[in-house]
């Protein structure tokens, strides 16, 4: 009772203003000291500044120092004078050095650059938290002002010790500050003014006042800086998160402390007679409810100062709460969802996918990679990107959550690479933005990603997607880049233009290949497909095409029953017995360590044990028949479903499972070594995988000009090839020699050529026309069979492209717009074998439908043109053949079909490159495709008249599942590009000419894609009432030709009121499929040009006649002449 009475008597007089005055006095005294010091320094500098022309004075030394006299020629400098000057200036330098050294020492301490500094920074943080905890305890147990003696309060004693430490830290910060005045006005300096001096006043007055000690909560705002100094926070996301959380909590705690002070003290103008007893925690609760705009009303401010504070607090805090809390929640949620590290499961593979990660790119990738036909795909996909996924991509990731994970980061950071376990990943795939504004910059970014990945883990397999062909050379500069390990580059421009080039040689081939190496998710299979097609009212041509789209390419090991068979025998067995199409086999080297892949190698190679084959089939289940086939058990089987695993032989010698591979031509292998399939080396085939051999200098014949090549027989092609022997070559030509104007082009009778309509500006990015020309100049064609290429486009752009085209023969340039009909008529577009429409303009437009506007306008312009026959180049028959003939075969003079055929622009063979798939609906006005129809189901794509770069998306997953897949496709599409050729092109000097040695000429012996007509020629007997099965077997047995599909007219009956000349693609038809005389057959035809190059024209004509006598051909009207040459089978294009 006595203690309570004495406390009340003590509190009759309050001394809060003493505590507050001490803080204000310190603040004002510091400001005055700094200003007076600055004034003195300014006055001293003003006095010490010498007047104009006077000698400068030196501090601490009387008198003046005269500057040394200028050094004259031949004079020497006074050494004593120099020494004296140095001695006079030394004390001033030493004084400045001490100040600078002290500032540097203080700066190192507070920034945590040394061990002592880190200890100091960490100690300041811990003591600030401890001091704030002491305040929380005092605010909960005591009133605002209490008369507890300092000697009897352990908390006050501990808090004083903390404040002494904070005072020392304050002086260290003051010394390190560059601008003392700005430092004195900092927030943390105010915290020290209003918390340190009152602790000393409490000792003198022997009482305690809570006062402004709540300002210690503002120290929490320094947590992000302290953690950054200590290298705890490394990412911008975590720094931002810590700043938001620290600022919010600091403001909340400090505001609660101020409300607690004024509510418990009362208003001073009423002599503190209206206090409201609130605990600190009630104040915190009240402010949080106020910030969240809930406002329960159970707690409120009673004093005038409290109400004024709440009004100001609401205006500030509500906006802060509404913006910061959602941002903090979002960062926490996303950090938890897309942060952390990848947890690899034992026995499960994972791949890392980076680069251009968007909804479209990820959905296209997953659609092919996770296709149900890829059996035993137990691979988890880890995406890493620096941008968090949007809602659309997030939904896609959730649908595939069992096999897909997303991490926020970048492969350029080693910490992020460690998070996704790149060192244990099976492969890393780098995607490119195919619609970027600057392809070279996109390639540079992806190459930098490859460098970062390889620098972190050199052994990982990397598959990168590049836009430009010439940028592949930079990958060769990476020391750890190894093609043999599986590292590969999917060049969009190379493959896109290669597909288009092959369509110039075999129209529709781009569609056939695209359907083979792409996994379609919605293809109806087997009998379900038949029911589906019959249930829908679908035209016959569309039913046939959709049946072909179900075909894909797979790999499987051949059973031991195939051992000893030649390739034609194995292909015949697979086709007739197993209902499979065998394209190629894997041929092992003599040492058994490496192997090559040979496509349709003929009868010189025999199948060995555990040989891997490449098949075209509908599903992986069908391909297993080749693995299970047993000659003893299944020889008499008539139902392919009966071909299952038997007990006649162990299966352990083979690898299990089926690997889906998207490849078409295994002529070249990754290993780039020659094949040795038989012991007789003289008769062994020379595979394309074998790099061109370089003869010794003594064996090299002298290079001569084409006109001086006396070894060339009349009518034979010049023996001029590049150093690899893969392509026809000519000496470099200036652009002026290849350029012609409209008059010269009109005077030149161009026929059976290729017209390239190119839309590009002078500054457009290069698309690499070399990739379009190279397949058309492959060495497995005779020189006279090469199609002339006429390019119509901007001359300034073509000057930039010409450096890569100057070594290819038969190329002509016509400067002008492809939209100008006069230019199109000058190059005889109506007589060309193919008209290619390309665009190199900016594809990064706001409206994606406008990226193909020039290509669509050019296509429609050509189709609307009409042509006359004034020169007699368009030959017409006098009589129409009996029965139905499509417009392309009809007589021109017929009145009912005068606008069809060669005189109508709609019959000009076209292939248009599209950047946007949905724009395919604008190419054909007579189709009935729905705008939402997928590209592969549209009529232009089915007919081979449209090609979109999106079909190449699946090649990334294809390259992962089979190391040789991309090489096979690239070999077939590019006409024979090899790693050696890429090394040569990487030098930047272009293609080099080679010597016509037997080893170089042997590289010409490789299969090529061809189109054989059933209208006449060696296969004409199957054109009427024949079946595809009989055609396949006859061509394989007698001609060595491997048929893979048909190219048929869309309208094949006379019931159509307006028959079209468009054809469509049928991939691998069934055995009983009926053939028509107007069909054309896609095939892989073997060639032996190295021997025919050494034969005379007479021998070659005899060989042709021998081939012509094999079949019994019926005579037909309106025959089309076929192009037959060399030892290649007679093919009609």
């Amino acid at each position: 009772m006595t203690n309570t009475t004495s406390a009340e008597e003590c509190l009759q007089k309050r001394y809060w203003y003493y505590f507050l005055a001490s803080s204000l006095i310190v603040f004002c005294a510091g400001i005055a000291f700094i200003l007076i010091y600055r004034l003195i320094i300014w006055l001293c500098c003003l006095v010490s500044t010498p007047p104009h022309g006077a000698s400068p004075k030196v501090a601490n030394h009387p008198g003046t120092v005269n500057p040394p006299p200028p050094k004259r020629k031949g004079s020497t400098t006074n050494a004593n004078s120099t020494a004296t000057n140095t001695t006079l200036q030394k004390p001033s330098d030493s004084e400045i050095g001490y100040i600078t050294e002290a500032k540097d020492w203080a700066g190192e301490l507070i920034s945590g650059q040394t061990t002592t500094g880190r200890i100091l920074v960490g100690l300041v943080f811990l003591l600030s938290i401890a001091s704030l905890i002491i305040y929380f305890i005092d605010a909960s147990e005591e009133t605002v002002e209490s008369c507890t003696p300092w000697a009897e309060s352990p908390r006050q004693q501990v808090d004083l010790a903390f404040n002494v430490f904070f005072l020392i830290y304050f002086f260290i910060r003051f010394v390190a500050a560059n601008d003392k005045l700005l430092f004195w006005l900092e927030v943390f300096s105010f915290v020290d003014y209003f918390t340190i001096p009152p602790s000393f006043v409490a000792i003198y007055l022997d009482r305690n006042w809570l006062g402004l000690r709540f300002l210690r909560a503002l120290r929490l705002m320094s947590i992000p800086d302290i953690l950054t100094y200590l290298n705890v926070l490394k990412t911008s996301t975590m720094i931002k998160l810590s700043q938001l959380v620290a600022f919010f909590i600091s403001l909340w705690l400090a505001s609660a402390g101020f409300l607690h002070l004024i509510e418990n003290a009362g208003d001073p103008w009423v002599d503190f007679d209206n206090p409201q007893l609130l605990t600190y925690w009630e104040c915190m609760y009240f402010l949080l409810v106020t910030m969240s705009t809930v406002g329960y009303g159970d707690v409120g401010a009673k004093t005038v100062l409290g109400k004024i504070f709440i009004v100001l607090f609401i205006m500030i805090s509500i906006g802060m709460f509404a913006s910061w809390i959602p941002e903090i929640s979002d960062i926490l949620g996303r950090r938890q969802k897309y942060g952390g590290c990848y947890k690899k499961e034992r026995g499960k593979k994972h791949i890392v996918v980076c680069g251009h990660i968007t909804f479209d790119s990820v959905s296209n990738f997953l659609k092919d990679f996770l296709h149900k036909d890829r059996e035993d795909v137990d691979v988890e996909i880890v995406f890493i990107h620096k941008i968090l996924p949007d809602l659309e991509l997030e939904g896609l990731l959730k649908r595939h959550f069992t096999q897909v994970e997303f991490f926020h980061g970048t492969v350029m950071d080693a910490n992020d690479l460690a998070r996704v376990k790149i060192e244990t990943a099976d492969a890393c795939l780098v995607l490119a933005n195919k619609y970027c504004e600057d392809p070279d910059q996109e390639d540079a970014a992806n190459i930098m990603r490859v460098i970062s990945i390889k620098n972190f883990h050199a052994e990982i397999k990397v598959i990168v997607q590049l836009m430009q062909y010439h940028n592949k050379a930079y990958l060769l500069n990476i020391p750890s880049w190894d093609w043999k390990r599986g590292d590969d580059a999917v060049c969009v421009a190379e493959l896109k233009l290669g597909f288009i080039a092959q369509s110039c040689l075999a129209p529709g081939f781009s569609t056939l290949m695209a359907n083979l190496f792409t996994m379609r998710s919605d293809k109806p299979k087997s009998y379900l497909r038949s029911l589906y097609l019959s249930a829908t009212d679908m035209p016959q041509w569309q039913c046939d095409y959709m049946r072909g789209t179900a075909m894909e390419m797979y790999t499987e090991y051949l059973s031991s029953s195939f051992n000893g068979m030649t390739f034609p025998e194995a292909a015949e067995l697979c086709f007739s017995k197993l209902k499979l199409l065998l394209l190629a086999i894997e041929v092992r080297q003599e040492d058994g360590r490496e192997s090559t892949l040979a496509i349709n190698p003929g009868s010189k190679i025999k199948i060995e044990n555990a040989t891997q084959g490449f098949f075209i089939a509908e599903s992986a289940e069908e391909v297993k028949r080749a693995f299970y086939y047993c000659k003893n058990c299944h020889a008499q089987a008539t139902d392919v479903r009966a071909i299952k695993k038997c007990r006649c032989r162990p299966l352990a010698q083979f690898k299990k499972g089926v690997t889906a591979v998207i490849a078409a031509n295994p002529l070249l292998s990754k290993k780039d070594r020659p094949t040795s399939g038989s012991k007789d080396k003289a008769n062994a085939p020379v595979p394309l995988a074998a790099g061109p051999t370089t003869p010794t200098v003594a064996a090299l014949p002298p290079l001569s000009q084409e006109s001086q090549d006396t070894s060339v027989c009349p009518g034979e092609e010049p023996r001029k090839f590049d150093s690899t022997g893969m392509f026809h070559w000519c000496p470099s030509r200036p652009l002026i020699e290849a350029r012609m104007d409209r008059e010269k082009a009109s005077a030149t009778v161009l026929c059976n050529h290729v017209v390239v309509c190119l839309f590009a500006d002078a500054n457009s990015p290069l698309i690499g026309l070399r990739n379009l020309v190279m397949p058309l100049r492959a060495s497995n064609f005779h020189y006279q069979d090469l199609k002339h290429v006429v390019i119509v486009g901007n001359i300034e752009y073509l000057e930039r492209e010409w450096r890569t085209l100057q070594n290819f023969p038969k190329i002509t340039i016509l400067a002008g717009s492809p939209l100008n009909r006069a230019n199109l008529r000058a190059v005889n577009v109506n007589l060309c074998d193919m008209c290619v429409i390309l665009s190199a303009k900016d594809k990064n437009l706001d409206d994606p439908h406008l990226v193909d506007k020039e290509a669509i306008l050019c296509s429609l312009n050509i189709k609307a043109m009409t042509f006359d026959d004034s020169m007699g180049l368009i030959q017409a028959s006098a009589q129409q053949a009996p029965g139905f003939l499509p417009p392309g075969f009809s007589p021109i003079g017929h009145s009912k079909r005068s606008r069809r055929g060669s005189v109508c622009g709609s019959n000009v063979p076209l292939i248009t490159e599209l950047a946007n798939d949905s724009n395919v609906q604008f190419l054909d006005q007579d189709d009935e495709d729905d705008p939402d129809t997928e590209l592969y189901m549209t009529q232009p794509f089915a007919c081979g008249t449209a090609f979109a770069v999106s079909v190449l998306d699946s090649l990334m997953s294809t390259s992962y599942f089979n190391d040789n897949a991309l090489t096979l496709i690239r070999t077939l599409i590019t006409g024979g590009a090899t790693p050696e050729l890429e090394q040569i092109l990487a030098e930047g000097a272009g293609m080099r000419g080679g010597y016509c040695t037997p080893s170089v000429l042997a590289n010409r012996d490789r299969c090529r894609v061809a189109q054989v007509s059933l209208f006449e020629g060696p296969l004409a007997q199957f054109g009427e009432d024949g079946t595809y099965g009989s055609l396949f077997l006859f061509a394989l047995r007698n001609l060595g030709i491997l048929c893979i599909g048909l190219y048929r007219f869309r309208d094949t009956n006379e019931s159509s009121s307006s028959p079209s000349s468009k054809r469509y693609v049928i991939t691998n038809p069934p055995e009983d499929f009926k053939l028509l005389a107007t069909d054309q057959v896609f095939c892989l035809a073997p060639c032996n040009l190295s021997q025919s190059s050494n034969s005379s024209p007479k021998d070659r004509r005899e060989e042709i006649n021998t081939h012509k006598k094999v079949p019994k051909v019926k005579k037909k009207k309106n025959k089309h002449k076929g192009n037959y040459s060399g030892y290649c089978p007679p093919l009609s294009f």
Side-chain angles (χ1 to χ4, degrees), residues 512 581 1028 1031 1042-1047 1065-1069 1080-1083:
L512 184 143
L581 176 56
Y1028 181 78
L1031 166 69
L1042 188 65
C1043 302
I1044 58 177
L1046 297 176
Y1047 199 42
V1065 176
I1066 307 175
T1067 306
N1068 190 24
Q1080 293 182 352
V1081 183
F1082 292 107
C1083 61

Side-chain angles (χ1 to χ4, degrees), residues 822-843:
N823 293 334
L824 297 176
R825 295 185 188 278
V827 298
N828 288 345
V829 70
N830 60 314
L831 300 179
C832 69
D833 281 352
M834 182 60 68
C835 179
V836 180
I837 303 176
L838 303 174
S839 176
K841 293 191 175 182
D842 183 17
K843 293 179 172 56

Side-chain angles (χ1 to χ4, degrees), residues 122 147 251 304 315 321 372 393 404 437 440 487 532 572 622 672 676 762 808 852 1046 1051:
C147 293
L251 187 61
V304 177
M315 291 189 296
F321 190 90
K372 59 185 179 181
L393 178 56
V404 174
E437 184 176 356
D440 287 320
D487 298 336
Y532 168 76
E572 181 178 346
E622 294 184 359
D672 196 25
S676 180
F808 294 108
D852 301 313
L1046 297 176
D1051 299 328

Side-chain angles (χ1 to χ4, degrees), residues 14 24 98 268 294 299 304 641 713 854 927 1042 1045 1132:
R14 298 179 181 270
L24 296 177
Y98 292 139
V294 176
V299 180
V304 177
R641 290 176 293 182
C713 300
E854 292 91 355
D927 64 356
L1042 188 65
S1132 179

Side-chain angles (χ1 to χ4, degrees), residues 164-176:
V164 171
F165 179 81
F166 293 145
L167 181 62
I168 297 173
Y169 186 65
F170 175 84
F171 281 113
I172 295 176
R173 291 167 49 224
F174 181 79
V175 172

Side-chain angles (χ1 to χ4, degrees), residues 135-294:
Y135 167 76
F136 291 155
I137 297 174
D138 290 344
S140 301
E141 297 180 358
E142 300 179 0
T143 58
V144 174
E145 189 172 349
S146 62
C147 293
T148 304
W150 180 84
E152 298 178 4
S153 178
R155 289 197 298 268
Q156 292 188 43
Q157 297 172 9
V158 173
D159 191 58
L160 178 63
F162 290 166
N163 285 323
V164 171
F165 179 81
F166 293 145
L167 181 62
I168 297 173
Y169 186 65
F170 175 84
F171 281 113
I172 295 176
R173 291 167 49 224
F174 181 79
V175 172
N178 293 322
D179 193 326
K180 311 301 182 185
L181 183 60
L182 291 178
F183 167 79
W184 206 260
L185 298 176
E186 285 181 354
V187 174
F188 295 142
S189 298
F190 277 99
V191 173
D192 292 332
Y193 307 149
F194 292 101
T195 55
I196 297 176
S199 64
F200 293 97
V201 174
I203 300 175
Y204 175 75
L205 296 178
D206 210 19
R207 62 171 61 198
N208 186 26
W209 182 59
L210 290 178
L212 303 179
R213 286 166 57 190
F214 59 82
L215 292 177
R216 284 290 178 200
L218 297 179
R219 278 270 178 203
L220 297 176
M221 291 192 297
S222 64
I223 292 179
D225 297 332
I226 295 174
L227 296 179
T228 303
Y229 294 153
L230 299 178
N231 202 26
V232 176
L233 299 180
K234 300 179 181 180
T235 63
S236 59
T237 303
M238 291 304 300
I239 294 175
K240 178 67 174 177
L241 176 62
S242 62
Q243 288 176 346
L244 290 174
V245 174
F247 197 89
F248 174 77
I249 294 178
S250 300
L251 187 61
W252 180 28
L253 296 179
S255 301
F258 184 77
L259 182 64
H260 175 267
L261 173 66
I262 58 180
E263 284 296 311
N264 284 274
D267 294 323
W269 52 82
V270 295
D271 198 18
F272 305 101
D273 288 337
N274 60 339
Q276 179 186 193
L277 297 180
L278 290 176
T279 64
Y280 181 80
W281 313 111
E282 289 176 336
C283 294
M284 288 182 61
Y285 162 75
F286 170 61
L287 292 182
L288 184 61
V289 170
T290 303
M291 280 190 294
S292 61
T293 69
V294 176

Side-chain angles (χ1 to χ4, degrees), residues 181 289 308 331 368 426 436 455 543 554 566 645 727 848 857 859 890 949 965 972 1037 1058:
L181 183 60
V289 170
I308 295 175
I331 293 177
D368 191 83
D426 198 42
C436 59
N455 186 56
C543 295
Y554 300 90
T566 62
K645 180 180 177 181
F727 300 97
L857 291 177
S859 176
S890 62
V949 69
L972 180 65
R1037 293 170 180 170
S1058 180

